[in-house]
């Protein structure tokens, strides 16, 4: 999403290769600070947390029943690509940073607080949350607002299962997702690129849609840290940034949540952010995309599909001007 247009606007740049100057400078400061502090800091941190690290179930298998009705049959992105080309700014701004840095994320114990306009507020540890409903494997397309996409076999269950358990009251119209923000575990919080914590949100009916997946795994195992362990959402018809990683709080609200990207650049990132090839980002087209791992940089891009190829969600937006509510 941090992409600069070419100077004369004629030759759209490859989104993954470009970084605006402010971000670049921020990143350089960030790297310098890490270089100064990391050697001592992270050794101490790892010593203090050796036990917690030992409990982190990296690579642990997760049994799940395939749900072909809600899965694409397109070729799956290689695990290596899906785990080494990531956006997770809490661990740095470059696509390879989360894979390099997210080992410091401590995913056990982990508690998600479910609160706000509901009859049954609760705090669930990650194991109870994982067991709340039968796990399914759903192969979804994920389309980043930057113009690339992947096909990933996620493991989880419809978020609606959890929402029904906590019984939203009559005031609940939106759901807010808040990500962990712990600077001891997340070196990226030193960057001022977003207001931390990372916050995302959905309208309640979007959150209740069967496609909206509370996700605890991918490729048959628990989520790798860089993909948002131990729990994230995946909302496949929206740009990837709506799918918040490493969630610690789910809050039901009367008013629309203030979401991190919308707050940082409201004219560029709307609350809805449905994938829509007909509504361009102010600085680049959204009409096509590059499938990671499949297309070379110089190959023809794929056409981007309305709602990322999930037309069944269209009824959620009946009567809405999707240029206005982008
Ligand atoms: N907490 C948090 N969640 C996040 C992000 C982030 O920076 N922080 N990046 C988002 C963006 S821009 C994308 S494209 C997806 C990428 O998910 P993946 O790395 O599992 O493919 O995560 C989203 N969730
Ligand atoms: Mo993204």
């Amino acid at each position: 999403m941090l992409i600069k247009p070419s100077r004369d606007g004629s030759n759209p740049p490859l989104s993954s290769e470009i970084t605006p100057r402010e971000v670049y400078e921020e990143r350089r400061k960030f790297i310098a600070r890490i270089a100064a502090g990391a050697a001592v800091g992270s050794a101490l941190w790892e010593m203090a947390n050796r036990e917690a690290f030992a409990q982190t179930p990296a690579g642990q298998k997760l049994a799940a029943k395939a749900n072909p009705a809600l899965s694409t049959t397109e070729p799956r992105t290689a695990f290596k690509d899906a785990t080494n080309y990531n956006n997770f700014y809490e661990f740095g701004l470059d696509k390879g940073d989360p894979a390099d840095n997210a080992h410091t994320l401590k995913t056990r114990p982990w508690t998600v607080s479910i609160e706000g306009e509901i009859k049954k507020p609760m705090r669930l540890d990650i194991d109870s949350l994982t067991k709340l409903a039968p796990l399914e494997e759903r192969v979804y397309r994920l389309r980043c607002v930057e113009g690339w996409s992947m096909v990933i076999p996620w493991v989880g269950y419809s978020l609606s299962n959890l929402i029904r358990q906590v019984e939203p009251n009559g005031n609940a119209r939106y759901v807010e997702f808040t990500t962990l923000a712990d600077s001891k575990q997340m070196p990226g919080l030193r960057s001022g690129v977003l207001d931390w914590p990372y916050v995302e949100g959905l309208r309640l009916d979007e959150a209740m849609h069967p496609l909206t997946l509370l996700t605890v795994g991918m490729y048959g195992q628990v989520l790798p840290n860089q993909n948002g362990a131990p729990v994230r959402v995946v909302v496949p018809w929206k740009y990837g940034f709506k799918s918040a990683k490493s969630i610690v709080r789910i809050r039901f609200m009367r008013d629309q949540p203030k979401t991190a990207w919308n707050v940082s650049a409201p004219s560029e990132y709307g609350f809805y952010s449905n994938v829509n090839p007909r509504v361009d980002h102010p600085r680049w087209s959204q009409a096509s995309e590059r499938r990671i791992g499949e297309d070379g940089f110089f190959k023809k891009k794929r056409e981007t599909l309305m709602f990322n190829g999930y037309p069944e969600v269209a009824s959620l937006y009946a009567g809405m001007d999707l240029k206005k509510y982008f």
Side-chain angles (χ1 to χ4, degrees), residues 45 88-91 102 104-112 177-189 195-199 228-231 244-249:
W45 169 247
F88 198 167
Y89 279 9
E90 288 87 335
F91 294 102
T104 54
L105 177 66
K106 184 177 163 243
T107 59
R108 294 287 189 288
W110 188 280
T111 309
V112 180
F177 305 94
T178 303
T179 290
L180 180 73
D182 179 356
S183 53
K184 291 204 286 297
Q185 303 180 52
M186 300 172 139
L189 298 192
D195 282 343
W196 311 108
Y198 191 101
V199 172
V231 58
K245 294 174 165 180
S246 303
I247 292 169
V248 292
R249 182 173 75 172

Side-chain angles (χ1 to χ4, degrees), residues 94-283:
D94 282 329
K95 294 286 180 275
D97 287 346
D100 287 345
N101 299 330
H103 60 277
T104 54
L105 177 66
K106 184 177 163 243
T107 59
R108 294 287 189 288
W110 188 280
T111 309
V112 180
S113 168
I114 302 153
E115 52 190 76
E117 302 286 355
I118 49 177
K119 292 184 192 129
K120 295 185 176 161
M122 47 181 87
R123 288 170 60 79
L124 287 173
D125 67 80
I126 187 59
D127 296 311
S128 318
L129 192 63
T130 301
K131 287 182 199 132
L132 188 105
L135 295 178
E136 294 178 14
E137 179 175 80
R138 309 240 189 114
V139 189
Y140 285 167
R141 283 177 291 276
L142 178 121
R143 166 62 156 85
C144 177
V145 74
E146 293 166 344
W148 50 266
S149 61
M150 300 198 194
V151 174
I152 297 182
W154 301 107
V155 175
Y157 52 79
S158 294
L159 177 63
S160 61
N161 289 294
L162 172 65
I163 296 179
R164 281 196 204 92
Q165 296 251 339
V166 299
E167 298 181 31
N169 66 34
N171 292 327
R173 294 168 56 217
Y174 293 91
V175 187
E176 177 195 67
F177 305 94
T178 303
T179 290
L180 180 73
D182 179 356
S183 53
K184 291 204 286 297
Q185 303 180 52
M186 300 172 139
L189 298 192
R190 292 173 211 170
S191 130
V193 129
L194 289 174
D195 282 343
W196 311 108
Y198 191 101
V199 172
E200 259 309 331
L202 298 170
R203 227 170 47 192
L204 184 60
D205 59 343
E206 298 177 318
M208 286 294 291
H209 193 280
L211 282 170
T212 301
L213 194 70
L214 191 78
T215 305
V216 293
M218 60 194 262
Y219 299 84
Q221 54 177 277
V222 297
L223 283 170
N225 288 357
Q226 62 267 39
N227 293 91
V231 58
R232 66 180 295 176
V233 282
V234 177
V235 193
W237 70 93
K238 292 178 179 281
Y239 292 116
F241 70 88
K242 297 296 290 180
S243 295
K245 294 174 165 180
S246 303
I247 292 169
V248 292
R249 182 173 75 172
I250 300 176
R251 183 157 63 130
F252 293 76
M253 298 167 70
R254 202 184 45 155
D255 300 318
Q256 188 173 295
K258 292 186 171 52
T259 57
W261 279 105
N262 184 238
V263 165
S264 90
S267 60
E268 303 195 7
Y269 309 110
F271 176 78
Y272 284 93
S273 284
N274 293 316
V275 173
N276 188 339
R278 293 192 289 273
V279 177
D280 287 338
H281 184 278
R283 293 187 282 133

